[in-house]
Amino acid sequence: MNRTTRITLTSRQRLGLNKFSLNAHNLLEIIDNPRFSDAVPKGTICEMIKSYEIKRQVNPVKTKSRDIELQCVAGCDVDKDNVVIAVVKRGCRTMETEIFSQDKRGVREAVKWLKDNAVERVVLESTGSYHNYFYDTFVSEGLNAIIINPLLIKSLIKSVGKNDRKDAQTMAELLLNFELKASNMPDDRMKQIRFMFRRIDSLKVHRTSITNRLNSMLRQNSIQLFRDIKINTPSGLGLLHGLAEGLSPMKNLENNWLGSRAKIPELLQLFPNIEELKPYVREGILEDLEEVVRLNAKIEMLPEKAYAIIDELGLLELIKLMCSVPTINDVLALRILGEMGIDLTFRYTQKEKFVKAIGLVPSNKVSGGKLIKAEATHGNIAVKMAVLNHVKPMCARRGVVNDFKNFYIHYKEKQGKNFMKATSAVGRKIMESLYAVIRDEIPYRTRAELKALNPKRFENVTVEIEQANGEQ
């Protein structure tokens, strides 16, 4: 008795662009199964299997085993003041453990000690920024050093209590026997980009603290004018400066209000009595205003700094390629490269891993088909917020027509999702497209352009495989 197994392949699976390996691997399992007779599919399936075989030879699947076994490794437990290093040799039950101080002398002694023991690889636990000094020195001295996430150690071994020596020895033993997943460390170009953006982010945080202090000062003095007017706007800064200088309400509005003139009578009712404003309050307002204007000037220089870094690091062609994706501009593209890596397609072998590293993939806990808990994954918060800040205006603005806006409309209206979930889903789609553009080195093309080039790509293909029901 024969039974027909029906396999439906979508256009994306047939092309093998994104979810290719998994589907091709499943097909190989079906064909290699001895229970199938005459089950070799034709046409598209054969092409997929042939392409998969080539891809598997070029990019072999990573496993936990090593081609060459390490003979001597070291584990480092890092804290603020000291670094505990344990050296483990294969076949030797005893371990050597030393403590080095977090200074120039300590790191020199650690390098000498590791080289004297012929250590082949060193693993350091990521601990804030305390591991950076030892890691950079190890790499510059030619030692093979890697950084691992502390959560990885906790997931592998459940330890009771806290002991620096035992932690270092545990990391060394794990490194000796397993292929630990190393964290991606930034190179010099990434450090330069990160420094610029994180400096700008700190300036924005400082500016926000000053404007919050100004709002608090105004409320304490019963000034309600800026309840609906944001201080850090041209109108807000101008009106506040005129208020501190003692201008009359009407003259202040005529000179500094840039909004609708029909709102002037309403704003006049909110103006305080200039004579009742204390001199020390005016002085405090002027000082904070000067600081806000100074910070605005520094932040507005960001595009110029970004263009200078793009030319200096030779990233012009890559940035142009990334900007072919809708909503991606030069500044956002440079931030993504600085945080996620200029070689991000090598750091993250799949688009799903790349999007998860950003934090745009929901971490849903499902049991028996029922959603137990829904939460966002932990990722790079700087990139995630930058992407969402570019996506939200595009989704909210009328007149925008592109594939991502169509996806947003469908996702929000047809599936009943709220604005935040819909924009997060759109951000994920944009980042997946960006990853494909960088990986394939081809500018972004819309769905209509792709359909015109290859209409069969968007058709589904159904393949029937005859399966003989034999005895087990």
Side-chain angles (χ1 to χ4, degrees), residues 66 70-75 86-90 114 118-123 171-177:
R66 294 193 186 95
L70 299 175
Q71 300 300 320
C72 183
V73 298
V87 173
V88 181
K89 297 182 180 179
R90 188 175 296 278
L114 292 173
V119 173
E120 299 173 81
R121 185 174 296 178
V122 185
V123 58
M171 284 189 287
E173 289 178 345
L174 289 174
L175 180 62
L176 189 66
N177 297 286

Side-chain angles (χ1 to χ4, degrees), residues 132-133 135-137 139 185-198 309 313 337-339 342 347:
N132 288 333
Y133 182 45
Y135 173 79
D136 293 339
T137 306
V139 172
M185 297 301 293
D187 55 17
D188 291 338
R189 294 189 296 176
M190 289 177 60
K191 288 180 179 179
Q192 182 178 355
I193 299 172
R194 285 186 181 184
F195 178 81
M196 179 192 71
F197 279 106
R198 293 182 180 182
I309 289 181
L313 301 181
L337 293 179
E339 295 289 344
I342 297 174
R347 289 170 173 259

Side-chain angles (χ1 to χ4, degrees), residues 251-404:
K251 187 175 181 180
N252 194 356
L253 287 170
E254 290 178 353
N255 294 341
N256 300 311
W257 176 245
L258 302 178
S260 174
R261 293 294 172 180
K263 201 175 180 180
I264 290 181
E266 178 184 350
L267 295 176
L268 283 173
Q269 302 298 324
L270 299 176
F271 258 92
N273 190 350
I274 304 299
E275 298 177 355
E276 295 180 358
L277 198 60
K278 304 297 182 182
Y280 60 85
V281 176
R282 296 182 182 180
E283 184 179 354
I285 292 175
L286 288 175
E287 289 179 358
D288 288 344
L289 276 178
E290 291 178 0
E291 187 69 14
V292 170
V293 171
R294 184 182 66 83
L295 292 173
N296 284 339
K298 287 187 175 182
I299 295 172
E300 288 172 359
M301 293 174 62
L302 173 60
E304 297 180 5
K305 293 182 178 180
Y307 296 140
I309 289 181
I310 290 173
D311 293 336
E312 180 181 349
L313 301 181
L315 301 174
L316 184 59
E317 294 300 325
L318 180 57
I319 294 294
K320 285 183 178 180
L321 186 66
M322 296 173 68
C323 290
S324 65
V325 181
T327 72
I328 303 294
N329 58 18
D330 297 340
V331 176
L332 179 58
L334 191 62
R335 181 185 280 271
I336 293 173
L337 293 179
E339 295 289 344
M340 309 307 297
I342 297 174
D343 55 343
L344 59 89
T345 55
F346 294 95
R347 289 170 173 259
Y348 309 99
T349 55
Q350 297 176 353
K351 64 172 185 178
E352 290 83 4
K353 295 181 179 179
F354 172 65
V355 178
K356 185 176 180 180
I358 295 176
L360 291 172
V361 178
S363 178
N364 297 337
K365 297 181 181 179
V366 181
S367 177
K370 183 179 179 181
L371 181 63
I372 304 299
K373 186 178 181 181
E375 56 185 9
T377 54
H378 297 285
N380 192 309
I381 189 66
V383 176
K384 179 180 178 180
M385 296 309 299
V387 171
L388 293 179
N389 288 338
H390 282 73
V391 170
K392 289 176 183 178
M394 185 269 293
C395 294
R397 190 179 298 118
R398 296 181 180 179
V400 178
V401 180
N402 56 44
D403 292 340
F404 301 116

